[in-house]
């Protein structure tokens, strides 16, 4: 049987060599090295009848190894949102009650969509624009992803630059937000650390007034809302926040300088694309967990920490009926995992074709979710301590939004021994978390541009494109460094990266599953991984995820509430701008669809519509050695000669499918290149 099998393989390999020599047209002709590689399939573990899978895309590039991709994806998914957004949403939406919709959205939407996007980008080896060869009419979804990534990249780097600002401010013997005796502090300031065991807010008063007068002052302060020195440092010194979103005031030059530093760092780390960023993530994706663990140990030993953790875990079930809670859960899943940004598709496009992205999607999603919950314990233990010290409810001790990371955490750092050292470590961690996500955001835009143009010059000069995108991003971020910048940052966060992500993800599911066809896509994934997608994911992709997302979108629209920041209510014109930002990414979809239909062949509208939905001839694996089955069909002149070979290989594949599938499933897909049939 072994001799017969070897003769069969030898004949098939000879036909492959002769067929590849004849093949011309749209798909690339296999090189002589690939033909020779087909003869040595036994030595390299290739599937019978198929050339050796070198999986190297020399023109576009690949990850150095699989660890680089996993760490980059973890760094992309685990970002600033895990520290300041997830705890903030729990804090705003009823503590532990938020966990229920969060995990529901994670299981039925987040993880399936994560796997869908990874497999989508990996199969085509294209960025968020090139993958829409699967159905050209929906290329507007890719442009929508680019718009979303642009918005997020602009304000995300501003948050990173503020972390840089705090990092530099920590290079001192005494953290500037430790006490309340600074020029920017107000009479209501009350710190957790007092220089001589007395309330520092009243220190100057007690030096000049009699004891009775001081007691009266204490009573007045106790009857008013007290604030922490870290909160006042954030509002009155770092931001110098204005009273209205339209009152830009001055540009905060220190923040502007930090923004420039942030963009320079991002550019330098991406100067060689994934080759350079893949090395950086070994540190940026792992070190934050060390600091989080240190802060967790310190946090749970603080007085009142248990109260904060109970607030974090105890559900307020009445808030489950609020659609905004579910909308925030969906938004957080998309925001944290990075679904619909285009980044997952882009990062996966640099994978080798047969990489097990199913395994990767599970690992990365669980790691991201666990990090969010872990960071929540750290945040709420500190919030509980602050609430205990200030004698107020946990819900009243911190601002919304990114201010949580720059109020609650800095307050806790003043309690640690050698607090400036821990402050440096903590804000360095925030910087690394932010950069991990920012790398992918910038790479998404650059890859989309380079893949779309696709010339040799643009590929050779990818660094120039990276630098140009970084400069534009810096300039667009300048308004966010003004005194009204925090208002605009929160406006972009609430509108640019909220329900538009839900719409984009839903349309992507519908396009792949129903326009392209779920059966064809399942076969594509099976061809790539060696096994079909599990039935749970097939059901979620086709039914569950789109239905849940659609209902969440409807409920969010019905129960929409205008954005506020503390006691500040945004004016109507600013909300209109927010809606325009949100719609700018969504409107790309119908606009491009109409354009594509008008350019498609056909005499009637239905014919044009049908042709614009058909998969482009370029759709499929990027390397010719992976284009088997119906993807092996050449164009024009090579069609007649190679068709018999393609059909024979397809018959051989069908005969061996059951045997190969059994072998693959026994090793979780790792034996996709095994040459020996299980029989």
């Amino acid at each position: 049987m072994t001799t017969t099998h070897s003769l069969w393989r030898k004949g098939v390999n000879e036909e492959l060599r002769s067929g590849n020599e004849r093949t011309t047209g749209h798909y690339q002709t296999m090189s002589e090295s690939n033909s020779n590689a087909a003869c040595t399939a036994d030595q390299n573990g290739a599937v019978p009848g198929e050339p050796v899978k070198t999986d190297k895309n020399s023109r576009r590039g690949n990850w150095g190894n699989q660890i680089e991709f996993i760490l980059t994806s973890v760094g992309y998914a685990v970002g600033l949102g895990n520290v300041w957004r997830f705890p903030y949403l729990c804090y705003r939406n009823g503590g532990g009650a938020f966990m229920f919709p969060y995990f529901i959205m994670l299981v039925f939407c987040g993880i399936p969509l994560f796997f869908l996007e990874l497999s989508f980008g990996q199969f085509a080896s294209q960025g968020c624009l090139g993958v829409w060869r699967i159905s050209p009419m929906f290329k507007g979804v890719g442009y929508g992803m680019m718009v979303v990534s642009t918005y997020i990249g602009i304000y995300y780097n501003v948050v990173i630059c503020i972390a840089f600002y705090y990092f530099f401010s920590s290079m001192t013997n005494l953290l500037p937000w430790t006490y309340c005796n600074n020029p920017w502090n107000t009479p209501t300031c009350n710190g957790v650390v007092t220089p001589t065991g007395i309330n520092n807010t009243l220190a100057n008063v007690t030096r000049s007034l009699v004891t009775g007068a001081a007691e009266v002052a204490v009573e007045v302060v106790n009857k008013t809302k007290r604030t922490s020195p870290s909160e006042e440092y954030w509002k009155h010194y770092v931001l110098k926040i204005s009273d209205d979103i339209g009152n830009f005031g001055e540009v905060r030059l220190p923040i502007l300088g930090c923004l420039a530093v942030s963009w320079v760092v991002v550019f330098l780390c991406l100067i060689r694309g994934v080759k350079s960023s893949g090395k950086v993530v070994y540190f940026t994706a792992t070190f934050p967990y060390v600091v989080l663990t240190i802060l967790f140990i310190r946090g749970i030993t603080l007085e009142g920490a248990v109260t904060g953790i109970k607030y974090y875990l105890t559900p307020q079930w009445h808030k489950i009926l609020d659609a905004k809670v579910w909308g925030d859960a969906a938004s957080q899943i998309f925001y944290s995992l990075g679904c619909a940004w285009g980044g997952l598709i882009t990062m996966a496009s640099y994978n080798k074709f047969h990489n097990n992205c199913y395994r990767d999607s599970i690992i990365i999603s669980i790691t991201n979710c666990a990090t969010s919950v872990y960071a929540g314990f750290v945040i709420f233990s500190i919030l509980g301590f602050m609430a205990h010290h200030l004698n107020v409810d946990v819900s009243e001790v911190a601002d919304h939004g990114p201010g949580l990371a720059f109020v609650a955490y800095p307050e806790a750092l003043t309690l640690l021994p050698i607090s400036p050292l821990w402050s440096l470590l903590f804000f360095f961690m925030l910087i690394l978390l932010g950069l991990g996500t920012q790398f992918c955001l910038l790479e998404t835009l650059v890859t989309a541009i380079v893949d779309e143009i696709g010339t040799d010059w643009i590929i050779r000069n990818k660094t120039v494109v990276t630098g140009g995108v970084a400069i534009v991003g810096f300039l667009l971020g300048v308004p966010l460094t003004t005194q009204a910048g925090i208002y605009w940052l929160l406006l972009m966060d609430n509108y640019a990266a909220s329900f538009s992500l839900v719409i984009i993800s839903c349309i992507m599911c519908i396009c792949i599953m129903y326009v392209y066809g779920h059966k064809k896509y399942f076969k594509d994934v099976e061809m790539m991984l060696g096994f079909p997608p599990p039935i749970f994911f097939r059901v979620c992709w086709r039914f569950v995820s789109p239905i849940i997302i659609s209902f969440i979108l409807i409920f969010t629209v019905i129960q929409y509430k205008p954005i506020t920041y503390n006691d500040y209510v945004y004016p109507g014109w600013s909300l209109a701008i927010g809606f325009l930002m949100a719609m700018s990414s969504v409107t790309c979809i119908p606009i491009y669809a109409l354009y594509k239909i008008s350019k498609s062949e056909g005499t009637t509208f239905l014919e044009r519509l049908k042709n614009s939905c058909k998969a482009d001839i370029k759709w499929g694996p990027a390397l010719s050695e992976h284009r088997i089955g119906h993807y092996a069909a050449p164009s024009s002149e090579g069609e007649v000669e190679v068709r018999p070979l393609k059909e024979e290989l397809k018959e051989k594949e069908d005969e061996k499918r059951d045997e190969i599938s059994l072998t693959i499933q026994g090793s979780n897909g790792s034996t996709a290149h095994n040459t020996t049939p299980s029989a």
Side-chain angles (χ1 to χ4, degrees):
M1 181 175 179
T2 303
T3 303
T4 304
H5 183 70
S6 300
L7 291 173
W8 170 81
R9 185 187 300 111
K10 181 179 178 182
V12 171
N13 288 336
E14 289 176 353
E15 285 189 304
L16 279 173
R17 285 200 306 272
S18 60
N20 287 330
E21 291 172 358
R22 295 193 301 268
T23 301
T24 57
H26 197 78
Y27 303 124
Q28 296 182 11
T29 302
M30 292 182 62
S31 64
E32 182 179 352
S33 61
N34 285 336
S35 299
N36 292 334
C39 299
T40 59
D42 289 331
Q43 303 174 10
N44 293 280
V47 175
E50 186 177 325
V52 173
K53 298 294 189 299
T54 59
D55 275 357
K56 292 291 185 181
N57 193 328
S58 58
R59 187 170 188 266
R60 194 170 182 273
N62 295 106
W63 295 106
N65 55 63
Q66 194 54 30
I67 297 178
E68 291 183 6
F69 167 70
I70 292 178
L71 289 179
T72 300
S73 299
V74 169
Y76 175 59
V78 178
L80 292 172
N82 297 79
V83 175
W84 65 259
R85 187 179 177 91
F86 179 81
Y88 150 61
L89 290 176
C90 284
Y91 154 74
R92 187 177 74 177
N93 293 310
F98 182 72
M99 295 290 188
F100 181 73
Y102 177 75
F103 283 110
I104 291 294
M105 299 303 300
L106 175 68
V107 172
F108 292 99
C109 288
I111 296 178
L113 289 175
F114 198 93
F115 179 31
L116 179 64
E117 292 197 29
L118 288 189
S119 60
F120 195 22
Q122 181 174 305
F123 183 79
S125 297
Q126 289 288 315
C128 62
L129 290 182
V131 291
W132 293 103
R133 294 170 180 171
I134 192 174
S135 184
M137 189 184 78
F138 289 88
K139 192 175 182 179
V141 176
Y143 285 110
M145 291 177 173
M146 288 187 65
V147 172
V148 170
S149 292
T150 300
Y151 287 141
I152 297 175
I154 292 171
Y155 77 79
Y156 208 84
N157 229 14
V158 174
V159 179
I160 298 174
C161 87
I162 296 176
F164 267 111
Y165 183 89
Y166 272 80
F167 177 78
F168 295 137
S169 298
S170 300
M171 296 179 179
T172 178
N173 293 328
L174 180 67
L175 295 177
W177 56 86
T178 303
Y179 300 132
C180 291
N181 57 353
N182 301 290
W184 59 82
N185 291 127
T186 65
T188 60
C189 180
N190 185 16
V192 294
V193 179
T194 54
T196 58
I198 63 173
N199 190 333
N200 192 53
T201 306
L202 303 175
N204 295 330
V205 177
T206 55
R207 292 191 186 100
S208 57
L209 299 178
V210 296
T211 303
E215 292 175 351
V216 172
V218 171
E219 183 178 357
V220 171
V221 171
N222 286 336
K223 290 182 179 180
T224 60
K225 176 178 170 60
R226 293 174 293 181
T227 56
S228 65
S230 62
E231 185 176 351
E232 294 198 347
Y233 179 78
W234 162 253
K235 283 183 176 180
H236 306 315
Y237 186 76
V238 177
L239 300 179
K240 289 188 177 179
I241 187 169
S242 64
D243 58 353
D244 185 71
I245 189 173
N247 183 13
F248 285 91
E250 63 181 11
V251 173
R252 300 286 293 119
L253 294 180
I255 298 180
L256 181 64
C258 291
L259 181 63
V261 171
S262 181
W263 275 110
V264 169
V265 171
V266 172
F267 169 73
L268 292 178
C269 292
L270 284 175
I271 195 168
R272 293 181 59 215
V274 296
K275 292 297 182 183
S276 55
S277 64
K279 303 299 183 291
V280 175
V281 295
Y282 281 102
F283 179 69
T284 61
T286 57
F287 180 75
Y289 291 97
V290 177
V291 181
L292 266 181
T293 301
I294 295 173
L295 292 172
F296 172 73
I297 295 173
R298 183 66 179 105
I300 59 177
T301 61
L302 296 172
E303 189 176 6
V306 175
T307 303
I309 293 176
K310 285 183 178 179
Y311 188 89
Y312 177 47
L313 297 177
T314 303
Q316 301 176 30
W317 293 111
H318 67 277
K319 291 196 174 183
I320 291 293
L321 301 177
D322 189 352
K324 186 168 179 59
V325 175
W326 290 84
D328 284 342
S331 178
Q332 172 61 13
I333 289 298
F334 295 125
Y335 190 97
S336 184
L337 289 178
C339 297
W341 293 16
L344 296 178
I345 294 174
T346 301
M347 295 302 104
S349 71
Y350 292 102
N351 275 337
K352 294 179 180 179
F353 183 74
H354 290 290
N355 170 62
N356 191 342
C357 58
Y358 166 67
R359 171 202 61 202
D360 296 341
S361 63
I362 300 297
I363 294 174
I364 298 166
S365 299
I366 292 177
T367 301
N368 172 76
C369 180
T371 304
S372 295
V373 176
Y374 188 36
F377 276 96
V378 179
I379 282 284
F380 276 91
S381 63
I382 296 173
L383 290 180
F385 167 72
M386 293 178 63
H388 174 80
H389 180 81
L390 298 176
N391 195 27
V392 296
D393 188 76
V394 176
S395 62
E396 300 179 9
V397 295
D399 285 339
H400 296 302
L404 188 64
F406 301 109
V407 174
Y409 272 101
E411 186 76 1
L413 296 176
T414 60
L415 302 172
L416 298 175
I418 322 176
S419 56
L421 172 63
W422 300 115
S423 182
L424 287 170
L425 288 175
F426 170 71
F427 287 110
F428 187 52
M429 178 198 72
L430 283 189
I431 292 169
L432 296 181
L433 286 174
L435 290 177
T437 302
Q438 192 68 19
F439 291 159
C440 296
L441 289 171
L442 184 59
E443 184 63 33
T444 297
L445 299 175
V446 173
T447 298
I449 295 172
V450 173
D451 285 349
E452 185 68 8
I453 298 175
T455 63
D456 291 336
W457 184 92
I458 202 72
I459 293 175
R460 289 196 306 267
N461 294 275
K462 186 177 178 180
T463 302
V464 177
V465 180
T466 305
V469 174
I471 292 174
V472 173
F474 167 75
L475 295 176
L476 293 176
V478 172
L480 301 184
T481 64
T482 62
Q483 290 178 267
I486 187 64
Y487 298 119
W488 290 100
L489 190 150
L490 292 175
L491 186 71
M492 295 179 71
D493 180 44
N494 278 269
Y495 289 92
S498 184
F499 70 86
S500 57
L501 296 178
V502 180
I503 296 175
I504 290 174
S505 292
C506 187
I507 295 177
M508 181 180 67
C509 272
I510 294 173
C511 172
I512 297 175
M513 292 296 107
Y514 296 100
V515 178
Y516 176 67
H518 63 278
K519 292 183 179 179
K520 288 193 289 185
Y521 191 74
F522 295 160
K523 289 182 180 178
D524 290 343
V525 174
E526 183 177 4
M527 183 178 77
M528 178 174 63
L529 301 182
F531 57 91
I535 188 171
F536 171 78
F537 290 94
R538 283 181 276 171
V539 173
C540 285
W541 289 348
R542 293 185 62 193
F543 307 111
V544 181
S545 297
I547 291 175
I548 292 179
I549 292 173
S550 299
F551 276 111
I552 292 298
L553 177 63
I554 294 172
F555 289 143
T556 302
V557 172
I558 292 175
Q559 297 194 11
Y560 165 76
K561 297 177 182 178
I563 181 179
T564 60
Y565 179 60
N566 292 337
D567 297 328
Y568 177 75
V569 178
Y570 280 69
W573 62 267
S574 64
L575 298 179
I577 294 177
F579 276 110
L580 288 176
M581 285 192 294
M583 296 305 297
S584 63
S585 58
V586 177
T587 52
C588 291
I589 301 173
I591 290 175
Y592 188 86
L594 292 175
Y595 165 77
K596 189 63 181 178
I597 292 173
S598 66
K599 295 294 183 179
S600 298
E601 296 180 354
T603 56
T604 65
F605 177 80
L606 290 178
E607 288 180 357
R608 291 173 178 267
L609 178 63
K610 184 177 180 180
N611 290 330
S612 64
C613 291
K614 288 182 179 178
D616 190 273
I617 193 173
K618 295 181 181 179
W619 164 249
L623 299 182
S624 56
E625 64 191 70
H626 298 139
R627 302 188 74 96
I628 60 176
H630 66 279
Y631 291 109
S635 59
S636 63
E637 56 190 27
E639 182 175 359
V640 176
E641 293 182 331
V642 183
R643 186 184 301 274
L645 174 62
K646 181 200 71 173
E647 292 176 353
E648 182 174 343
L649 289 178
K650 187 176 186 302
E651 292 175 359
K652 299 296 184 182
E653 283 181 355
D654 292 337
E655 292 173 0
K656 300 297 180 180
R657 181 181 300 275
D658 293 338
E659 295 176 351
I660 295 174
S661 298
L662 289 173
T663 303
I664 289 169
Q665 293 185 5
S667 58
N668 195 24
S670 61
T671 60
H673 308 300
N674 193 353
T675 62
T676 305
S678 59

